[in-house]
Amino acid sequence: MPSLDVNDTTLYYEDEGTGPALLFLHGWGTSGRTWGAQLPDFTRDHRVVTVDWRGCGRSARPVRGNTTSGVVSDLVALIGALRLDRPVVVGSSIGGAFATELALRRRELTGGVVPVGAPGYWPSTEAQAELVAALRRDRAGTVADWVPGWYAPGTAPALIDWTIRQILDSGVYIDEHQATADGYDPRPTLPGLQVPIHYLHGELDTAIPVEVPRTCAALTPGAGVSVIAGAGHMPHQERPERFNAVLRAVLPGMARAERMVPAARMVPAAR
């Protein structure tokens, strides 16, 4: 089993294919398995890395480090250990927030960011407090009630059930991300983002309304938004062929934008 010891934890990852690097980050409580519909396509001409971030999937479940900074630090170590050359980082839901923060904090490590259904500034204090309390009272019941709303009407029940099982199999300490989500707001820093970014979002996403990526994109120089028709919060799973086509269309523009970055902007960002 491929694993990497970083920052007092162990991360499970998969690394396949050759070519420009892509790093896929899953959402809260799931795993790198959620990108299964992307791997056969993109490993044909890209080096594709998926990782189960700390607390999730096949990675360790430590008590500490379950914060955005903790996960970003893990990603920095992963990119260095695998010698990834400025991967485009594709992140689902909170994974999109991790990808954005990685680009903001360590610009020199990132070739581009594709947030997918990313939360941006959305969660409210009241809603998050209620969610965390409910998870502590009845984790299984809360997850079973909550997750179906991530998906568009008509989604196969098997996909929803599989997502629920993944979340319940992950560690309880990842709830810290939900407890602190209401304090996350990248909008003040987005005007200074120095890597290409393109938001992909499901048209029917009720967890994070499409106004969120549009607002974030309007603040970010050169940012784009693509909306996946008929999809909810997980468009890479709900409409994989359409999602893959849009992602493929976005990647060449990111590569061109990277080549045009002035040398002065290639100086490593301060921590």
Side-chain angles (χ1 to χ4, degrees):
M1 184 176 80
S3 61
L4 182 68
D5 293 331
V6 299
N7 301 327
D8 298 320
T9 193
T10 301
L11 303 180
Y12 175 90
Y13 70 92
E14 295 183 0
D15 183 356
E16 298 290 346
T18 58
L22 299 175
L23 173 58
F24 285 93
L25 306 178
H26 61 84
W28 182 82
T30 57
S31 73
R33 292 185 175 104
T34 61
W35 301 105
Q38 284 64 58
L39 298 181
D41 185 352
F42 288 96
T43 53
R44 291 187 293 108
D45 50 8
H46 287 77
R47 181 183 179 187
V48 178
V49 174
T50 60
V51 59
D52 296 358
W53 42 267
R54 64 169 58 212
C56 300
R58 294 148 290 185
S59 290
R61 293 150 167 72
V63 174
R64 298 174 181 81
N66 298 288
T67 62
T68 296
S69 292
V71 174
V72 169
S73 179
D74 293 345
L75 296 175
V76 170
L78 178 78
I79 290 170
L82 299 184
R83 298 182 181 275
L84 296 178
D85 183 13
R86 292 199 303 276
V88 171
V89 187
V90 184
S92 169
S93 194
I94 196 173
F98 298 153
T100 302
E101 285 301 309
L102 174 65
L104 285 165
R105 301 178 191 195
R106 297 299 301 270
R107 181 262 172 274
E108 80 281 6
L109 298 180
T110 315
V113 180
V114 182
V116 181
Y121 56 88
W122 184 250
S124 69
T125 302
E126 180 179 0
Q128 290 307 112
E130 291 175 356
L131 173 60
V132 172
L135 286 168
R136 291 172 179 169
R137 285 195 308 269
D138 177 11
R139 190 175 191 81
T142 299
V143 172
D145 288 343
W146 179 32
V147 169
W150 295 3
Y151 292 92
T155 298
L159 176 56
I160 297 172
D161 291 344
W162 181 55
T163 303
I164 292 169
R165 290 198 306 273
Q166 286 187 84
I167 294 172
L168 294 178
D169 187 52
S170 291
V172 298
Y173 304 117
I174 62 169
D175 294 1
E176 182 67 16
H177 292 291
Q178 298 295 344
T180 58
D182 61 283
Y184 178 67
D185 186 350
R187 286 176 290 182
T189 56
L190 288 175
L193 183 64
Q194 295 183 348
V195 304
I197 187 168
H198 193 102
Y199 296 85
L200 298 189
H201 215 86
E203 172 193 25
L204 305 178
D205 190 340
T206 57
I208 307 295
V210 73
E211 71 186 66
V212 173
R214 286 174 173 157
T215 298
C216 290
L219 294 170
T220 313
V225 180
S226 293
V227 177
I228 309 296
H233 190 55
M234 309 285 270
H236 53 298
Q237 294 184 296
E238 299 171 74
R239 296 289 186 272
E241 291 185 358
R242 178 58 181 157
F243 177 91
N244 292 356
V246 173
L247 180 56
R248 276 205 171 273
V250 165
L251 292 175
M254 289 193 160
R256 287 193 297 270
E258 270 292 282
R259 288 194 295 269
M260 295 173 62
V261 173
R265 287 172 56 186
M266 295 297 292
V267 176
R271 294 191 180 186

